[in-house]
């Protein structure tokens, strides 16, 4: 079974997960918080996040994270990978 069919986001308005405007101000902040609240209770959040990080730049809230948060995760993963390679 595909993990996506088990996502709680399927029962929500898809627009909720694609805030308009910056996630650090105004209505977009509220919308981002509401989307992340759905993700916190979702049984496939980890898989969703892994997909979004592995896929690269994708818009919207995925796995309970914003685009900026996923960029930071990818950078951290790259740094950790380089550190591991350097130590070997």
């Amino acid at each position: 079974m595909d993990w996506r069919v088990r996502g709680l986001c399927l029962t929500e308005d898809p627009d909720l997960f694609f805030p308009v405007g910056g996630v650090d101000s105004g209505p977009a902040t509220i919308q981002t918080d509401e989307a992340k609240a759905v993700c916190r209770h979702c049984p496939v959040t980890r898989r969703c996040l892994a997909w979004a990080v592995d896929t690269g730049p994708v818009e919207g809230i995925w796995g309970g994270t914003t685009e900026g948060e996923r960029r930071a995760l990818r950078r951290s993963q790259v740094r950790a990978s380089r550190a591991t390679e350097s130590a070997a």
Side-chain angles (χ1 to χ4, degrees):
M1 174 189 274
D2 188 352
W3 61 267
R4 291 174 283 198
V5 300
R6 295 179 42 229
L8 293 181
C9 56
L10 292 177
T11 62
E12 300 289 333
D13 179 353
D15 289 339
L16 175 64
F17 299 91
F18 298 92
V20 176
V23 295
D24 296 329
S25 63
T29 301
I30 294 167
Q31 190 175 349
T32 298
D33 291 344
E34 290 173 358
K36 287 181 170 188
V38 173
C39 295
R40 277 193 293 277
H41 300 286
C42 184
V44 296
T45 300
R46 285 184 184 169
R47 290 178 131 181
C48 181
L49 176 57
W51 175 85
V53 170
D54 291 344
T55 299
V58 289
E59 293 182 13
I61 307 298
W62 291 85
T65 61
T66 64
E67 298 165 56
E69 291 165 340
R70 289 189 302 277
R71 274 193 302 275
L73 283 171
R74 282 192 292 280
R75 283 192 303 267
S76 294
Q77 289 175 345
V78 167
R79 282 193 295 270
S81 176
R82 288 180 182 159
T84 301
E85 290 172 3
S86 296

